[in-house]
Amino acid sequence: MSDTFIQSLQITALGMGLVFAAIILLWGLMAAMTALFRERESTPSPLAPLPKGEGEGKARAAAIAVAAALAVQRQSSARPLPEPPMAIVSAWQLGMRTRQMSQKGSMDKHR
Amino acid sequence: MSDTFIQSLQITALGMGLVFAAIILLWGLMAAMTALFRERESTPSPLAPLPKGEGEGKARAAAIAVAAALAVQRQSSARPLPEPPMAIVSAWQLGMRTRQMSQKGSMDKHR
Amino acid sequence: MSDTFIQSLQITALGMGLVFAAIILLWGLMAAMTALFRERESTPSPLAPLPKGEGEGKARAAAIAVAAALAVQRQSSARPLPEPPMAIVSAWQLGMRTRQMSQKGSMDKHR
Amino acid sequence: MDLTDLLAGFADFTWANALMLVIGGALIYLAVAKEYEPVLLLPIGFGCILANLGMSAYDEGSFLRVIYEAGIETELFPLLIFIGVGAMIDFRPLLAQPRMALLGAAGQFGIFGTLLLASALGFPLNEAASIGVIGAIDGPTAIFVTTKLAPHLLGPIAVAAYSYMSLIPIIQPPIMRLMTTRRERLIRMDYAPRPVSRLTVVAFPIVVTVIVSLIAPSAAPLIAALMLGNLLREALVVDRLSKAAQNEIINIATLFLGLAIGATMTAERFLYDPTTGIQWQTLMVLGLGLLAFIVDTVAGLLFGKLMAFATGGKVNPLIGACGISAFPMAGRLSAKMALEEDPDNFILMHAMGANTAGQLASVIAGGVLLAIVSGML
Amino acid sequence: MDLTDLLAGFADFTWANALMLVIGGALIYLAVAKEYEPVLLLPIGFGCILANLGMSAYDEGSFLRVIYEAGIETELFPLLIFIGVGAMIDFRPLLAQPRMALLGAAGQFGIFGTLLLASALGFPLNEAASIGVIGAIDGPTAIFVTTKLAPHLLGPIAVAAYSYMSLIPIIQPPIMRLMTTRRERLIRMDYAPRPVSRLTVVAFPIVVTVIVSLIAPSAAPLIAALMLGNLLREALVVDRLSKAAQNEIINIATLFLGLAIGATMTAERFLYDPTTGIQWQTLMVLGLGLLAFIVDTVAGLLFGKLMAFATGGKVNPLIGACGISAFPMAGRLSAKMALEEDPDNFILMHAMGANTAGQLASVIAGGVLLAIVSGML
Amino acid sequence: MDLTDLLAGFADFTWANALMLVIGGALIYLAVAKEYEPVLLLPIGFGCILANLGMSAYDEGSFLRVIYEAGIETELFPLLIFIGVGAMIDFRPLLAQPRMALLGAAGQFGIFGTLLLASALGFPLNEAASIGVIGAIDGPTAIFVTTKLAPHLLGPIAVAAYSYMSLIPIIQPPIMRLMTTRRERLIRMDYAPRPVSRLTVVAFPIVVTVIVSLIAPSAAPLIAALMLGNLLREALVVDRLSKAAQNEIINIATLFLGLAIGATMTAERFLYDPTTGIQWQTLMVLGLGLLAFIVDTVAGLLFGKLMAFATGGKVNPLIGACGISAFPMAGRLSAKMALEEDPDNFILMHAMGANTAGQLASVIAGGVLLAIVSGML
Ligand code: NA
Ligand code: NA
Ligand code: NA
């Protein structure tokens, strides 16, 4: 077997090992984050836990989730419409900073 | 006469010759292409051949063509409105590829 | 006192002097421009002079001015909406040049 | 008077160049008529045509060379594209079901399987690795890694990566049917996601950037660009930057990336080198690339079956097929397959979770591969 | 303390610079008040002002020099503009009546006529050719060719090209009336276009790119950029790229192209060189440029009359005037003239055919000129 | 096999880097949760994180270094941002009440006051001047000047400039209450503006560019960019260029400016240099920057009181606080304060006049400072 092929074998072993290591680490981190950073204000998330039903009840539940998920994508592509570019521009210069001035009190709500 | 002027004369002769040569070649190619690549599906082209009428009949026909031509320009400037940037964005990521999946059957219609 | 600090003192004196000099020069220029370049066609400017009233009359007047000023910002952020990018694009290629052709007579109105 | 400039056009034009024009035209045909990743294959095809008309990335003073140096050699284009892609990805389905991440790792076997085969076929390590990275099934990653290891292969590798990507709906289904039993495809999955707070979605891209940059520094720029885009998206307060990333930036980068890559597809590098003869490697790259897609899918499905077995039939192996990345097409395809078997079986959210994990894992795998190989060369 | 930096501003400022500020202001006036190609003349005028305030394209470390090197010396700006212009042109009227192409060729005589006159007036070949290319009546082509042959003339040539372009509606009509009889202007033309399939409009830009690149390699980048834009437009499947070309790309390129060209208009190059005295050449360039427009129109009309004669009065000579390019203004003007003579005489489609042909022929002529002259220098 | 590349990530990572990640995260927190100039602080924060993961502006081959060289060293980014800002500013309130300009000059004392203090604290002149320019309370100006005088301080100075800018509503009110009597805050101002013709608003940016470029050539590029944007806005005939300046150009420049500046915030330069120890200067810069804001406000108010006295109580001193620039926040804040004292007292138009004057004066002061210091070094 050529040296290159042996090297490739080493690369494969080491590489897939590292990929799995990294992904498992990320898994742990994601689990930790979702556990630690609980939603404070209860915005109706499209991914809110669903009632444990049975059979077609579960199916309906899932159907809702799917609809919700697709809705997210639609919404994300719909978002820009209400506020045209220029509006955002001024928002940057005027709007946003003004909002700051007026909202310094209620700022914590961003947290 | 200066050398430069003589050179310019050569350039003019050669240049205009080449320009006409190239344009005539393109003329032939365009004629060939329009002849070879016939419209398969009959989309109502704004440039569809017009009925051979006489006198003001011809004028009316031409008037329609003009209107159609202007319409093309209007339409080309109107096109973006229906689909906002973001929509196209998702189209790239989601829409288009999904369309592919669902349309693999009817793909020939693109030809 | 360190040399740097002494230099800084010089810089401060010279610098603030130049800043005031430049600004006073600009003041004069602005006064001159507004005086020389009088509005020819009377477009209702949001900053048109207001009637000299008294007390709350003045307040109302000022209130109007503020409203007008804010209106300017709104309008400037609203402007893009009527004409979508592409429309302007053609405007560049077609519209604007065509306008030129048809408006050569009434061109002075641009002045 | 010397007219060499005038005749240059015909003088340098060979039959191989003519053939390359046909290939460029074919790529444009796939883009326009078949809608195979048109935003990339059309510029690549047109760039390929220009490359064989004296405007290649290797011709001194060619404007495509300027673009190539500005965006490919600096590696900016793939990164700019990733900023835009990151701004289009919603990681909530993955954050809600973190264990789906495992499937993303499994979907990268194709990279290394192809690397092994390529080196067995005699490709030097840098080329073998570049070919393997087609198995990342992620255009920018493949281009980024290839630019560093074997830039002369950019053309065939990019063409393979993007054309097969749009063939996913044709390549995957038969493999999925072959490798899973009807009972497996009928498995329904509990959908009980954890709630995902705004803090989580905002912190996620930052955490991922830090972790991955430390574990696989070579992947750092890619993951950083992807996560920057995602942060712009989830921050909500920089809408104008997020939109710029998803529109101006990605559009311009995509157009010029495609042109610049096409501009590397000169006849002598892609088809026939007067000194070394026919470039069989191009065909081999295309063949091995297809294999990479298949191995990815097979490995993903096997891992899915393993998870189904390990969980006592609580995981539908079909979602194993979306670990390959190819976001979001692979994810939707798996969900579609499940629906075909049972119109009441909705696994889209699980599929998208595995699919986004595949996107992350692809970048990590690409970076790991780049780091190891760079260390060995 | 040394304050030379402070006084530098006044120290280097000459009466000639002051005059250049007036000229820059005049260009801005033409742009704002007269709407002469404002998107170009305004940036050029402002760039001219900056050039004479120490920010010229020749001042070391000037930001306009950075832009000049990035976009003009690399020739990227005119090409980027052409990508956008190509995405705005509809070639169907030409494809439907291919013979209109001939008028496009005829409309280029002005280029060579001006070249002859300029060389007779003692301009060296590279300058004479650059002046002649004003007759292409196409900004990007003129700038592209001048950048390669006589970059020091960029200012006057660009100013001439763009200001006369917007004077077309004033320059052409008298010539058209003078050179055509009322009977000729009354000629009606059959409108029997061939149907144009989608395959044709998609293949057209590719075919043109290949042919022109082989015949006139020097024109290749220009025609390639123009046709790339047109392909993006007609492909229909890459709408986001087509829009980027018609908006972001062309807008940004136009703004910075204008600034960079204005930045070359320093007093000593445009007006008065302390060593060589007044720059009469600037005035001559402006004069010869105007001539180029006239010769183009005359030649086009003569060829129109020839076609009218050859076809036994089936061609209205007015459409000869749109072969000069200046798309789409010249085309609309001819149609307007015909309508004025006879409100029932619609020749717009023929005019637009000849006009788009003029656009192609202008690029080809520019490239041919560039090739021949480069071969001679 | 050599895996140094693989372990590089951890090898070079120090506790100081870790601390910088926290600082970067804090900046992102301020941007997202507190909306402190998010379009700038978010990219700066993310760039800071990348800088400490091996992607700094000083790491050879880092993509952020490419961006840094392309946009910061060339000074293009702050200028491009100014083109966009200029297109967003309406100078009519100032043109209608030119005397408001004086308040703009007064609002620049903070620059020099801080310079004095910094040099007293032992900072070398170039660093002291860069710190002082934070008092311009104008991001692009501060970045432009610092890039030329002390680029190694870009990070802390940009962070100070932008975070304090968004703290204006917290920093200024107490000072305003402290330094003005209730009676002064109750002063109503006649509102009798001169009419402003279109010719005036179009000529204004050109005139300002010429005057300022002659008086303070070092400020020329900044003022030219700002006024170019304003001209695009007021010309009305180049809407597409004006929109490009306010969208594509400023968005892309802002994103990459932020990233590039964050990329200079490496641990050894911002926090702890292994050879020289802790970088106390960073803290001092942040402290002096805050002081600059306060001195600006105090000086502005004092000058406002002077004008009130000089005019016999016809000027409300509150508008003195908007001379500091920080457009348009400071202007609105003053008007808000007056309204709080008396719901019938509208001074917004006067405030905006002083505020826009502050914007101009800030650029002029920055340029003057740069010129003098460059002359001394
Ligand atoms: Na993958
Ligand atoms: Na022409
Ligand atoms: Na200030």
Side-chain angles (χ1 to χ4, degrees):
Chain A
M1 283 197 303
S2 73
D3 294 2
T4 319
F5 187 74
I6 292 157
Q7 284 181 308
S8 301
L9 282 172
Q10 297 172 317
I11 295 172
T12 304
L14 181 59
M16 281 312 293
L18 279 166
V19 170
F20 266 99
I23 285 294
I24 287 164
L25 181 55
L26 283 181
W27 173 8
L29 280 162
M30 289 189 282
M33 283 165 68
T34 43
L36 293 173
F37 310 153
R38 285 240 158 286
E39 193 82 47
R40 270 182 201 63
E41 86 277 19
S42 65
T43 51
S45 153
L47 294 159
L50 292 161
K52 283 254 155 301
E54 274 316 309
E56 58 95 52
K58 201 178 289 178
R60 206 190 303 104
I64 295 159
V66 174
L70 296 174
V72 173
Q73 283 153 345
R74 260 197 307 285
Q75 164 223 47
S76 78
S77 68
R79 204 187 297 135
L81 284 183
E83 32 180 307
M86 287 286 288
I88 303 155
V89 174
S90 342
W92 180 54
Q93 276 269 342
L94 312 172
M96 197 209 69
R97 294 176 173 177
T98 324
R99 210 179 324 130
Q100 251 170 34
M101 286 188 300
S102 50
Q103 293 183 351
K104 282 293 168 209
S106 62
M107 224 156 37
D108 301 24
K109 78 160 177 32
H110 291 301
R111 240 189 261 90
Chain B
M1 285 199 301
S2 72
D3 294 0
T4 319
F5 186 73
I6 291 158
Q7 286 180 306
S8 300
L9 282 172
Q10 297 171 316
I11 296 172
T12 304
L14 181 59
M16 280 312 293
L18 279 166
V19 170
F20 267 99
I23 286 295
I24 288 164
L25 181 55
L26 284 181
W27 175 7
L29 280 162
M30 288 188 283
M33 283 164 69
T34 43
L36 291 174
F37 310 152
R38 286 240 157 286
E39 193 82 46
R40 269 182 201 65
E41 87 275 17
S42 64
T43 49
S45 152
L47 293 159
L50 291 162
K52 284 254 158 298
E54 272 319 306
E56 57 97 53
K58 200 179 291 177
R60 204 189 305 105
I64 294 161
V66 175
L70 296 174
V72 172
Q73 284 153 343
R74 261 196 308 286
Q75 162 224 49
S76 79
S77 67
R79 203 187 299 135
L81 284 184
E83 33 183 306
M86 287 286 286
I88 304 155
V89 174
S90 340
W92 180 52
Q93 277 271 339
L94 312 173
M96 198 210 66
R97 292 176 173 175
T98 324
R99 210 178 325 131
Q100 252 169 35
M101 286 189 297
S102 49
Q103 292 182 352
K104 283 295 168 208
S106 61
M107 223 157 37
D108 299 24
K109 81 161 175 31
H110 291 302
R111 243 189 262 89
Chain C
M1 282 199 301
S2 72
D3 294 0
T4 318
F5 187 74
I6 291 159
Q7 286 180 306
S8 301
L9 281 171
Q10 298 172 316
I11 295 171
T12 303
L14 179 61
M16 280 313 291
L18 279 166
V19 170
F20 266 98
I23 285 295
I24 287 164
L25 180 55
L26 282 182
W27 174 7
L29 279 162
M30 287 188 283
M33 284 166 67
T34 43
L36 293 174
F37 310 153
R38 287 240 155 286
E39 192 83 46
R40 269 183 202 63
E41 85 275 19
S42 64
T43 49
S45 152
L47 294 160
L50 292 161
K52 284 259 155 297
E54 271 320 304
E56 57 97 52
K58 200 179 291 178
R60 205 190 303 106
I64 294 160
V66 175
L70 296 175
V72 173
Q73 283 152 345
R74 261 197 305 284
Q75 163 223 49
S76 78
S77 67
R79 204 187 299 138
L81 284 184
E83 32 182 308
M86 286 287 285
I88 303 156
V89 174
S90 340
W92 180 55
Q93 277 269 342
L94 311 170
M96 198 209 67
R97 294 174 170 178
T98 325
R99 210 179 323 130
Q100 250 171 37
M101 285 187 301
S102 49
Q103 292 182 352
K104 282 294 166 207
S106 62
M107 222 154 39
D108 298 24
K109 80 159 178 28
H110 292 302
R111 238 188 266 91
Chain D
M1 57 198 278
D2 168 10
L3 296 185
T4 41
D5 284 36
L6 258 182
L7 308 172
F10 286 104
D12 310 347
F13 194 72
T14 68
W15 65 266
N17 290 122
L19 215 55
M20 288 308 292
L21 297 191
V22 176
I23 291 171
L27 290 174
I28 294 174
Y29 170 82
L30 290 178
V32 177
K34 306 283 194 185
E35 291 193 22
Y36 285 2
E37 296 283 341
V39 289
L40 279 144
L41 287 193
L42 188 144
I44 291 177
F46 199 80
C48 167
I49 290 174
L50 300 188
N52 292 279
L53 292 168
M55 289 171 271
S56 83
Y58 310 113
D59 289 313
E60 202 51 67
S62 145
F63 75 103
L64 288 178
R65 185 200 181 90
V66 175
I67 293 173
Y68 180 88
E69 287 170 344
I72 304 289
E73 286 185 358
T74 62
E75 281 143 19
L76 278 186
F77 285 159
L79 297 177
L80 294 180
I81 290 175
F82 252 14
I83 294 177
V85 172
M88 297 172 187
I89 297 184
D90 180 356
F91 282 105
R92 285 182 186 75
L94 176 59
L95 284 161
Q97 322 157 81
R99 67 193 170 122
M100 289 298 145
L102 283 178
L103 291 160
Q108 312 311 317
F109 270 109
I111 297 177
F112 300 94
T114 313
L115 162 69
L116 286 170
L117 196 53
S119 53
L121 288 167
F123 279 94
L125 200 51
N126 65 325
E127 294 188 352
S130 304
I131 296 167
V133 83
I134 296 174
I137 312 194
D138 179 86
T141 302
I143 290 161
F144 185 87
V145 172
T146 305
T147 306
K148 292 204 167 190
L149 293 182
H152 57 286
L153 288 183
L154 265 176
I157 284 172
V159 168
Y162 284 111
S163 21
Y164 298 148
M165 183 121 42
S166 47
L167 283 175
I168 290 276
I170 293 172
I171 298 172
Q172 282 198 324
I175 306 175
M176 290 158 91
R177 286 200 198 76
L178 193 76
M179 291 194 51
T180 56
T181 66
R182 182 157 203 294
R183 166 173 291 135
E184 288 175 320
R185 294 198 293 276
L186 283 173
I187 293 176
R188 295 188 175 185
M189 301 175 73
D190 283 352
Y191 184 61
R194 310 167 177 217
V196 179
S197 66
R198 182 171 172 222
L199 177 51
T200 308
V201 292
V202 172
F204 178 70
I206 301 170
V207 171
V208 171
T209 305
V210 173
I211 300 302
V212 174
S213 300
L214 289 175
I215 294 179
S218 305
L222 279 173
I223 208 74
L226 191 70
M227 292 296 118
L228 168 61
N230 192 245
L231 179 59
L232 294 178
R233 168 203 181 93
E234 300 296 353
L236 301 185
V237 294
V238 291
D239 213 22
R240 63 196 338 260
L241 298 187
S242 172
K243 288 206 186 64
Q246 294 176 54
N247 293 284
E248 291 90 85
I249 294 176
I250 196 171
N251 289 349
I252 295 171
T254 303
L255 175 60
F256 293 130
L257 172 88
L259 284 172
I261 285 178
T264 65
M265 294 167 65
T266 56
E268 51 277 14
R269 286 170 187 266
F270 196 87
L271 203 61
Y272 177 83
D273 184 327
T275 59
T276 64
I278 295 179
Q279 295 282 29
W280 294 113
Q281 63 178 16
T282 303
L283 283 180
M284 291 167 84
V285 169
L286 295 178
L288 288 164
L290 181 53
L291 201 88
F293 274 59
I294 294 167
V295 177
D296 268 338
T297 308
V298 171
L301 288 168
L302 284 175
F303 198 85
K305 289 161 81 81
L306 175 64
M307 279 180 81
F309 172 80
T311 58
K314 290 199 171 311
V315 169
N316 186 322
L318 285 176
I319 65 173
C322 4
I324 67 169
S325 68
F327 172 85
M329 191 156 42
R332 305 198 143 217
L333 187 61
S334 301
K336 194 152 152 293
M337 293 281 292
L339 278 174
E340 279 170 8
E341 296 288 343
D342 165 3
D344 269 348
N345 192 6
F346 298 95
I347 62 169
L348 180 63
M349 298 310 291
H350 303 83
M352 292 317 276
N355 202 185
T356 47
Q359 175 72 57
L360 290 179
S362 297
V363 175
I364 296 169
V368 166
L369 181 67
L370 181 55
I372 305 178
V373 172
S374 313
M376 286 178 162
L377 292 176
Chain E
M1 57 197 278
D2 168 11
L3 296 184
T4 42
D5 283 35
L6 257 183
L7 308 170
F10 286 103
D12 311 345
F13 194 73
T14 68
W15 65 267
N17 291 120
L19 215 54
M20 288 307 293
L21 298 190
V22 176
I23 290 171
L27 290 174
I28 294 174
Y29 170 81
L30 291 178
V32 177
K34 307 284 193 184
E35 291 193 22
Y36 286 2
E37 295 284 340
V39 290
L40 280 144
L41 287 192
L42 189 145
I44 290 176
F46 199 80
C48 167
I49 290 173
L50 300 188
N52 290 279
L53 293 168
M55 288 170 272
S56 83
Y58 310 113
D59 289 312
E60 202 49 68
S62 146
F63 77 101
L64 288 179
R65 186 201 179 90
V66 175
I67 294 173
Y68 181 88
E69 287 170 345
I72 304 290
E73 286 185 358
T74 63
E75 282 143 18
L76 277 186
F77 284 159
L79 296 178
L80 294 180
I81 290 175
F82 252 16
I83 294 177
V85 172
M88 298 171 187
I89 297 185
D90 182 355
F91 282 106
R92 286 183 185 73
L94 176 59
L95 284 161
Q97 320 156 82
R99 67 194 170 123
M100 291 298 143
L102 283 177
L103 292 159
Q108 312 311 319
F109 270 110
I111 297 177
F112 299 94
T114 314
L115 161 71
L116 286 170
L117 196 53
S119 54
L121 287 168
F123 280 94
L125 201 52
N126 65 325
E127 295 187 354
S130 304
I131 295 167
V133 82
I134 296 174
I137 312 193
D138 179 86
T141 302
I143 291 162
F144 185 87
V145 173
T146 306
T147 306
K148 292 203 167 189
L149 293 180
H152 58 286
L153 288 183
L154 265 176
I157 283 173
V159 168
Y162 284 111
S163 18
Y164 297 148
M165 182 124 38
S166 47
L167 285 174
I168 289 276
I170 292 172
I171 297 171
Q172 283 198 322
I175 307 173
M176 291 158 90
R177 284 199 199 77
L178 194 76
M179 293 194 50
T180 55
T181 64
R182 181 159 203 292
R183 167 173 291 135
E184 289 174 322
R185 296 199 290 276
L186 283 174
I187 294 176
R188 295 189 175 183
M189 302 174 71
D190 282 353
Y191 184 61
R194 311 168 176 214
V196 180
S197 66
R198 182 172 172 219
L199 177 52
T200 307
V201 292
V202 171
F204 178 71
I206 300 170
V207 171
V208 171
T209 305
V210 174
I211 300 301
V212 175
S213 300
L214 288 175
I215 294 178
S218 305
L222 280 172
I223 207 75
L226 191 70
M227 291 297 118
L228 169 62
N230 192 245
L231 179 58
L232 294 179
R233 169 204 179 91
E234 300 296 353
L236 301 185
V237 292
V238 290
D239 214 22
R240 62 197 340 260
L241 298 186
S242 173
K243 288 205 186 66
Q246 294 177 55
N247 294 287
E248 292 89 86
I249 294 175
I250 197 172
N251 289 348
I252 295 172
T254 303
L255 174 60
F256 292 130
L257 172 89
L259 285 172
I261 285 176
T264 65
M265 294 167 64
T266 56
E268 50 278 15
R269 285 170 187 264
F270 197 87
L271 204 61
Y272 177 85
D273 184 326
T275 60
T276 64
I278 295 179
Q279 295 282 30
W280 294 114
Q281 64 176 18
T282 303
L283 284 179
M284 292 167 83
V285 168
L286 296 177
L288 288 164
L290 181 54
L291 202 88
F293 274 58
I294 294 167
V295 176
D296 269 337
T297 308
V298 171
L301 288 168
L302 284 174
F303 198 85
K305 289 160 83 79
L306 174 64
M307 278 180 82
F309 172 78
T311 58
K314 292 200 170 312
V315 169
N316 185 322
L318 285 177
I319 65 173
C322 5
I324 68 169
S325 70
F327 173 85
M329 192 155 45
R332 305 198 144 217
L333 188 60
S334 302
K336 192 152 152 294
M337 293 281 291
L339 277 173
E340 279 170 7
E341 297 289 343
D342 166 2
D344 269 348
N345 192 6
F346 300 94
I347 62 169
L348 180 63
M349 298 311 292
H350 303 82
M352 293 315 278
N355 202 184
T356 46
Q359 174 73 58
L360 290 180
S362 298
V363 175
I364 295 169
V368 166
L369 181 68
L370 180 56
I372 304 178
V373 173
S374 313
M376 285 177 163
L377 292 176
Chain F
M1 57 199 278
D2 169 11
L3 296 184
T4 42
D5 283 35
L6 256 182
L7 308 170
F10 286 103
D12 310 345
F13 194 73
T14 69
W15 64 268
N17 291 120
L19 214 54
M20 288 307 293
L21 297 190
V22 177
I23 291 171
L27 290 174
I28 293 173
Y29 170 83
L30 291 177
V32 177
K34 307 283 193 186
E35 289 192 24
Y36 285 3
E37 296 284 341
V39 290
L40 279 145
L41 287 193
L42 188 144
I44 290 176
F46 199 80
C48 167
I49 290 175
L50 300 189
N52 291 279
L53 293 168
M55 289 169 272
S56 83
Y58 310 113
D59 288 314
E60 203 50 67
S62 146
F63 76 102
L64 288 178
R65 184 200 181 91
V66 175
I67 293 172
Y68 181 88
E69 288 170 345
I72 303 289
E73 286 184 359
T74 63
E75 281 142 17
L76 277 186
F77 284 158
L79 297 177
L80 294 180
I81 290 175
F82 252 14
I83 294 177
V85 172
M88 296 171 188
I89 297 184
D90 182 356
F91 282 106
R92 285 182 186 75
L94 176 60
L95 284 161
Q97 322 157 81
R99 66 193 170 123
M100 290 299 143
L102 282 177
L103 291 160
Q108 312 310 318
F109 270 109
I111 297 177
F112 300 94
T114 314
L115 161 70
L116 286 170
L117 195 53
S119 54
L121 288 168
F123 279 95
L125 201 51
N126 64 327
E127 293 187 355
S130 304
I131 296 167
V133 82
I134 296 173
I137 312 194
D138 180 84
T141 302
I143 290 162
F144 185 87
V145 173
T146 305
T147 305
K148 290 202 166 190
L149 293 181
H152 58 286
L153 288 183
L154 265 176
I157 284 173
V159 168
Y162 284 111
S163 19
Y164 298 148
M165 183 123 37
S166 47
L167 284 174
I168 289 275
I170 293 172
I171 297 172
Q172 282 199 322
I175 307 175
M176 290 159 90
R177 286 201 198 76
L178 193 76
M179 292 195 51
T180 54
T181 65
R182 183 159 202 291
R183 166 172 292 136
E184 288 175 322
R185 295 197 292 275
L186 283 173
I187 293 176
R188 294 188 175 183
M189 302 176 72
D190 282 354
Y191 185 60
R194 310 164 177 219
V196 180
S197 66
R198 181 169 173 221
L199 177 51
T200 308
V201 291
V202 171
F204 178 71
I206 301 170
V207 171
V208 171
T209 305
V210 175
I211 299 302
V212 175
S213 301
L214 288 175
I215 294 178
S218 306
L222 280 172
I223 207 74
L226 191 69
M227 292 296 119
L228 168 61
N230 192 245
L231 179 59
L232 294 179
R233 168 205 181 90
E234 301 296 352
L236 301 185
V237 293
V238 289
D239 213 21
R240 65 199 333 264
L241 298 187
S242 171
K243 288 208 186 65
Q246 295 177 54
N247 293 286
E248 290 89 86
I249 294 176
I250 196 171
N251 290 350
I252 295 172
T254 303
L255 174 59
F256 292 131
L257 172 89
L259 284 173
I261 285 177
T264 65
M265 294 167 66
T266 55
E268 50 276 17
R269 284 168 187 266
F270 196 89
L271 205 60
Y272 177 84
D273 183 328
T275 60
T276 65
I278 295 177
Q279 295 281 30
W280 295 112
Q281 64 177 15
T282 302
L283 283 179
M284 291 168 85
V285 169
L286 295 177
L288 289 164
L290 181 53
L291 202 88
F293 274 59
I294 294 167
V295 176
D296 270 337
T297 308
V298 171
L301 288 167
L302 284 174
F303 198 85
K305 288 161 83 79
L306 174 63
M307 278 181 84
F309 173 78
T311 58
K314 292 201 170 307
V315 169
N316 185 321
L318 286 177
I319 65 172
C322 6
I324 67 170
S325 70
F327 173 85
M329 192 156 43
R332 307 200 140 213
L333 187 61
S334 302
K336 193 153 153 291
M337 294 280 293
L339 277 173
E340 279 170 5
E341 296 289 343
D342 166 2
D344 269 349
N345 191 8
F346 299 94
I347 62 169
L348 180 63
M349 297 311 292
H350 303 82
M352 293 316 276
N355 202 184
T356 47
Q359 175 72 58
L360 289 179
S362 297
V363 175
I364 295 169
V368 166
L369 181 68
L370 180 56
I372 305 178
V373 172
S374 314
M376 285 179 162
L377 291 176

